[in-house]
């Protein structure tokens, strides 16, 4: 193979490799952006879940107090009936 053809084929291969590297870089950047968006959305969902959990805890505390008051009232009523 003549030297000129070898150089041209090497240049062609280098150009192809460079093109593939550019495509890979673009794809990696797209994937990185997608991951950032997904992470942001996931963090928002986690914040909403934490907020919901806090509200559920507060609601449970209120219901526990109400149930405790009802239990005490029923207990007092049963004690007064026994006497």
């Amino acid at each position: 193979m003549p030297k000129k053809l070898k150089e041209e084929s090497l240049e062609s291969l280098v150009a192809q490799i460079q093109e593939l590297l550019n495509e890979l870089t673009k794809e990696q950047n797209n994937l990185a952006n997608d991951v950032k968006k997904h992470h942001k959305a996931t963090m928002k969902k986690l914040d909403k879940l934490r907020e919901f959990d806090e509200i559920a805890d507060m609601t449970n505390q209120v219901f526990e107090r109400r149930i405790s008051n009802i239990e005490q009232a029923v207990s007092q009523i049963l004690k007064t009936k026994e006497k």
Side-chain angles (χ1 to χ4, degrees):
M1 216 177 185
K3 190 173 186 179
K4 189 174 184 180
L5 283 177
K6 283 184 182 181
E7 287 178 17
E8 287 178 9
S9 70
L10 284 176
E11 288 175 6
S12 173
L13 288 173
V14 168
Q16 289 176 5
I17 290 171
Q18 188 63 40
E19 186 178 325
L20 288 172
L21 286 173
N22 289 339
E23 288 179 26
L24 285 173
T25 302
K26 184 189 278 187
E27 185 66 26
Q28 285 179 335
N29 288 337
N30 290 339
L31 288 173
N33 289 335
D34 289 347
V35 167
K36 285 180 186 177
K37 288 177 187 175
H38 181 69
H39 178 70
K40 188 175 181 179
T42 301
M43 293 310 292
K44 282 183 181 180
K45 288 177 183 178
L46 283 174
D47 285 342
K48 289 288 184 187
L49 285 173
R50 286 186 192 116
E51 184 179 330
F52 177 78
D53 192 42
E54 290 174 11
I55 292 169
D57 285 345
M58 288 187 279
T59 304
N60 284 340
Q61 289 174 359
V62 169
F63 283 127
E64 285 174 7
R65 276 189 246 128
R66 287 182 181 173
I67 289 173
S68 176
N69 290 340
I70 292 169
E71 287 173 342
Q72 289 175 359
V74 168
S75 177
Q76 287 177 352
I77 290 170
L78 290 176
K79 285 181 183 178
T80 56
K81 282 188 177 182
E82 289 176 358
K83 291 182 181 180

